[in-house]
Amino acid sequence: MSETQKTATLTIDGATYDLPVYSPTSGPDVLDIRKLYGQAGVFTYDPGFTSTASCESTITYIDGEEGILTHRGYPIGDLAGKSHYLEVCYLLLYGALPTAAELEDFESTITRHTMLHEQMVNFFRGFRRDAHPMAIMVGVVGAMSAFYHDSTDINDPRQREIASHRLIAKMPTIAAMAYKYTIGQPFVSPRNDLDYASNFLRMCFAVPAEDYEVNPILSRAMDRIFTLHADHEQNASTSTVRLASSSGANPFACIAAGIACLWGPAHGGANQACLEMLKEIGSVDRIPEYIARAKDKNDPFRLMGFGHRVYKNMDPRATVMKESADEVLELLGVEDNPLLQVAKELEHIALNDPYFKDKKLFPNVDFYSGIILEAMGFPTSMFTPIFALSRTVGWISQWKEQLSDPAHKIGRPRQLYLGEDVRSYADIENR
Ligand code: ACO
């Protein structure tokens, strides 16, 4: 933690307390309240962590007001346009863009860790065929702790690195296997001559009777989806990974916890929920009915794919994703797709509606990613697993950062207790 000259003064019942104030590279100043309970005997109250920085980090920065997202200082638009997923993985993990030799070495390492232990195939067979692929992923990734014992010692930096490589490399294989299992097709093994995105597409769409010819535009679009989801600072699933890790849990268990959190419709599950919503709306003439429902305080319905806790401007990932959607839909010749018509009209209406404008509710990345994935042939149930595999590098980078900070401690929030005060236990006959 950097030294600071600034302080904030807090007054409680006439007593004053000086709180150190830190100035980050970018973003608002941060008040250090760590000693507050010891000095003043009070807690702070911030459900949903809307004003709380939970850690120091040097990985990702978001300015939600301006719609800026950078990884290690590089804007997401540049990375999505000029870089590719595995290079971004290297950047997130190691803090700098790789040289050509470093990248080649990293790509080779990841490629050579893509296979799963053969015995792990048995886990898949234990699931019902109609299981959601996210349920399978939570289970199988958690089960990796039972297979890769040589990379679960979190105090050994080399083991941490091996676990990182394994997770990044095996996640597409696991997601593709989860998909194949739910549609009753045989698993397709990874192929070392294909790049990361092409390999994933082939593992999902090839069948023994016919190999899958990877179209470079689709593979580029897939890679871009991975890149745009790679990290997003202290979001709910990343904070879950950090909290799980704070107790010393092994990396596979921590990432399984992150996958579980990501599954929810307010987070990664929004891409599936968004596409299902577009299908439910069905035609442009029904949009006003759904806009009215989204505005109705008594109706729990929300426009999925709109709004974000941090972005109060256009989600910069959505801008790039929208371009990708146009490219992919043109390639596949589905520009007239009714779903796309609904999406475009909904976007137009919402962006011009005072309710959405006043609340700064813009389309987020999930609004467009679902449209691309659907056009590529993925069922909606695969949208969130694809998000999970993309975000794995972010989770792992944040996990590594946390463990290399000597000051890290177990995460243990306090509470504002509003339950009963101490009362006497009444025997059952006297209640
Ligand atoms: N449709 C209609 N109204 C909305 C929406 C929406 N999608 N999102 C927020 N609002 C309204 C809320 O009703 C609330 O109104 P109020 O102030 O009158 O009560 C106001 O906007 C603020 O909403 P909160 O829920 O307080 O904002 P929060 O920051 O907690 O939630 C969230 C952010 C969860 C993303 C929310 O916007 C949402 O549920 N969106 C739909 C789900 C979604 O697309 N999630 C993906 C997030 S991006 C990601 O994970 C990659």
Side-chain angles (χ1 to χ4, degrees):
M1 179 74 70
S2 52
E3 284 303 311
T4 179
Q5 302 300 320
K6 273 195 196 173
T7 51
T9 305
L10 175 70
T11 307
I12 305 172
D13 293 338
T16 59
Y17 305 92
D18 285 337
L19 305 173
V21 179
Y22 305 116
S23 295
T25 316
S26 308
D29 281 354
V30 174
L31 309 189
D32 182 346
I33 55 160
R34 282 177 296 175
K35 298 199 175 127
L36 190 59
Y37 175 59
Q39 290 173 347
V42 295
F43 296 147
T44 57
Y45 180 59
D46 186 18
F49 307 120
T50 51
S51 298
T52 296
S54 60
C55 60
E56 285 182 55
S57 184
T58 61
I59 302 175
T60 291
Y61 173 69
I62 301 174
D63 183 334
E65 299 299 327
E66 296 296 324
I68 291 170
L69 165 64
T70 59
H71 294 317
R72 304 285 190 185
Y74 296 100
I76 189 68
D78 285 357
L79 294 174
K82 298 177 189 166
S83 182
H84 58 89
Y85 184 65
L86 280 188
E87 185 174 71
V88 172
C89 287
Y90 186 98
L91 175 69
L92 289 168
L93 277 173
Y94 301 110
L97 286 171
T99 62
E102 285 166 341
L103 183 61
E104 196 187 327
D105 188 45
F106 181 66
E107 286 181 333
S108 159
T109 303
I110 296 300
T111 306
R112 278 163 184 78
H113 276 95
T114 48
M115 281 176 65
L116 266 197
H117 192 294
E118 187 56 22
Q119 211 178 323
M120 288 193 77
V121 172
N122 297 331
F123 285 134
F124 287 83
R125 308 224 184 279
F127 287 96
R128 282 171 54 138
R129 290 276 177 192
D130 60 358
H132 194 289
M134 282 298 275
I136 300 181
M137 289 191 68
V138 174
V140 173
V141 173
M144 285 174 80
S145 357
F147 276 82
Y148 299 104
H149 302 297
D150 57 343
S151 54
T152 51
D153 179 357
I154 60 162
N155 299 314
D156 177 346
R158 179 64 190 140
Q159 291 206 25
R160 295 207 291 260
E161 181 156 46
I162 298 171
S164 311
H165 293 160
R166 281 188 170 139
L167 278 156
I168 295 166
K170 295 185 201 305
M171 205 60 102
T173 316
I174 294 171
M177 286 171 79
Y179 173 50
K180 286 296 196 189
Y181 184 76
T182 57
I183 56 170
Q185 289 185 3
F187 300 135
V188 176
S189 295
R191 241 179 49 193
N192 285 1
D193 59 322
L194 293 176
D195 63 72
Y196 194 85
S198 304
N199 210 4
F200 175 64
L201 286 171
R202 187 179 161 276
M203 285 191 288
C204 288
F205 296 125
V207 286
E210 192 176 332
D211 205 352
Y212 176 78
E213 275 298 313
V214 185
N215 182 310
I217 297 185
L218 292 190
S219 146
R220 174 80 198 129
M222 189 78 257
D223 189 88
R224 202 173 263 187
I225 289 180
F226 293 160
T227 303
L228 291 175
H229 288 90
D231 190 45
H232 215 221
E233 51 118 307
Q234 309 313 320
N235 58 85
S237 56
T238 302
S239 299
T240 301
V241 170
R242 281 189 180 255
L243 194 55
S245 147
S246 75
S247 71
N250 77 66
F252 306 109
C254 295
I255 301 304
I259 297 172
C261 176
L262 187 79
W263 193 359
H267 192 10
N271 50 16
Q272 170 169 357
C274 175
L275 228 277
E276 282 164 358
M277 174 194 75
L278 294 176
K279 284 183 178 164
E280 190 185 313
I281 298 176
S283 61
V284 168
D285 57 304
R286 294 189 63 202
I287 294 176
E289 181 196 322
Y290 283 84
I291 294 273
R293 283 187 61 194
K295 294 182 195 174
D296 183 354
K297 282 254 164 275
N298 300 315
D299 189 329
F301 175 79
R302 284 188 166 198
L303 274 194
M304 300 314 285
F306 280 80
H308 197 276
R309 166 61 63 79
V310 181
Y311 293 121
K312 301 303 167 200
N313 202 321
M314 191 76 181
D315 178 342
R317 302 167 301 171
T319 314
V320 183
M321 198 67 94
K322 193 176 173 188
E323 282 169 29
S324 254
D326 291 339
E327 250 174 60
V328 170
L329 297 171
E330 195 190 329
L331 171 81
L332 299 172
V334 290
E335 299 105 305
D336 295 335
N337 179 315
L339 216 58
L340 185 66
Q341 303 301 329
V342 173
K344 281 192 168 158
E345 190 57 20
L346 184 63
E347 179 198 19
H348 176 72
I349 294 177
L351 284 175
N352 291 292
D353 187 294
Y355 173 93
F356 289 89
K357 277 166 88 169
D358 293 350
K359 293 189 187 300
K360 300 187 176 170
L361 299 171
F362 292 88
N364 57 49
V365 67
D366 289 331
F367 186 69
Y368 302 104
S369 62
I371 297 169
I372 306 181
L373 293 171
E374 156 105 354
M376 281 178 171
F378 285 105
T380 50
S381 59
M382 275 304 286
F383 295 4
T384 318
I386 289 171
F387 190 164
L389 87 82
S390 321
R391 182 55 57 83
T392 296
V393 67
W395 292 330
I396 276 290
S397 305
Q398 303 267 351
W399 169 82
K400 272 182 75 190
E401 180 178 75
Q402 178 185 19
L403 290 179
S404 49
D405 176 358
H408 82 268
K409 4 165 101 196
I410 188 164
R412 177 44 169 105
R414 306 304 293 254
Q415 62 175 0
L416 168 60
Y417 177 69
L418 297 174
E420 296 288 345
D421 207 345
V422 178
R423 45 183 174 164
S424 322
Y425 179 84
D427 292 334
I428 197 154
E429 59 275 14
N430 297 325
R431 284 175 212 161

CSV table of all heavy atoms in Angstrom, one decimal, residues 111 121 197 228 233 279 285 303 307:
chain,number,residue,atom,x,y,z
A,111,THR,N,-1.6,-25.0,-25.3
A,111,THR,CA,-2.1,-26.1,-26.2
A,111,THR,C,-1.8,-27.5,-25.6
A,111,THR,O,-2.6,-28.4,-25.8
A,111,THR,CB,-1.3,-25.9,-27.6
A,111,THR,OG1,-1.6,-24.5,-28.0
A,111,THR,CG2,-1.9,-26.8,-28.6
A,121,VAL,N,-13.7,-38.3,-17.4
A,121,VAL,CA,-14.8,-38.5,-18.3
A,121,VAL,C,-16.0,-39.2,-17.6
A,121,VAL,O,-17.1,-39.0,-17.8
A,121,VAL,CB,-14.3,-39.4,-19.5
A,121,VAL,CG1,-15.5,-39.9,-20.4
A,121,VAL,CG2,-13.3,-38.7,-20.4
A,197,ALA,N,-9.5,-20.6,-30.1
A,197,ALA,CA,-10.9,-20.5,-30.5
A,197,ALA,C,-11.4,-21.5,-31.5
A,197,ALA,O,-12.5,-22.1,-31.3
A,197,ALA,CB,-11.2,-19.1,-31.0
A,228,LEU,N,-13.3,-10.2,-25.0
A,228,LEU,CA,-14.1,-9.2,-24.4
A,228,LEU,C,-14.6,-9.6,-23.0
A,228,LEU,O,-15.0,-8.8,-22.2
A,228,LEU,CB,-15.3,-8.9,-25.3
A,228,LEU,CG,-14.9,-8.2,-26.6
A,228,LEU,CD1,-16.2,-8.0,-27.4
A,228,LEU,CD2,-14.3,-6.8,-26.3
A,233,GLU,N,-12.4,-6.6,-13.5
A,233,GLU,CA,-12.0,-6.3,-12.1
A,233,GLU,C,-12.9,-7.0,-11.1
A,233,GLU,O,-13.1,-8.2,-11.2
A,233,GLU,CB,-11.8,-4.7,-11.9
A,233,GLU,CG,-12.9,-3.8,-12.4
A,233,GLU,CD,-13.4,-3.0,-11.2
A,233,GLU,OE1,-13.9,-3.6,-10.2
A,233,GLU,OE2,-13.5,-1.7,-11.4
A,279,LYS,N,-36.6,-14.1,-27.7
A,279,LYS,CA,-37.5,-15.1,-28.3
A,279,LYS,C,-38.9,-15.0,-27.8
A,279,LYS,O,-39.9,-15.1,-28.5
A,279,LYS,CB,-36.9,-16.5,-28.0
A,279,LYS,CG,-35.7,-16.9,-28.8
A,279,LYS,CD,-35.3,-18.3,-28.5
A,279,LYS,CE,-34.1,-18.7,-29.4
A,279,LYS,NZ,-33.4,-19.8,-28.9
A,285,ASP,N,-43.7,-5.8,-32.9
A,285,ASP,CA,-44.9,-5.1,-32.4
A,285,ASP,C,-45.1,-5.4,-30.9
A,285,ASP,O,-45.9,-4.7,-30.3
A,285,ASP,CB,-46.1,-5.5,-33.3
A,285,ASP,CG,-46.3,-7.0,-33.3
A,285,ASP,OD1,-45.3,-7.7,-33.7
A,285,ASP,OD2,-47.3,-7.5,-32.9
A,303,LEU,N,-35.4,-5.7,-18.5
A,303,LEU,CA,-34.8,-6.0,-19.8
A,303,LEU,C,-33.4,-6.6,-19.7
A,303,LEU,O,-32.5,-5.9,-19.3
A,303,LEU,CB,-34.7,-4.7,-20.6
A,303,LEU,CG,-35.9,-4.1,-21.3
A,303,LEU,CD1,-35.4,-3.0,-22.3
A,303,LEU,CD2,-36.7,-5.2,-22.1
A,307,GLY,N,-28.3,-2.4,-18.6
A,307,GLY,CA,-27.9,-2.0,-17.3
A,307,GLY,C,-26.6,-2.6,-16.8
A,307,GLY,O,-26.3,-3.7,-17.3
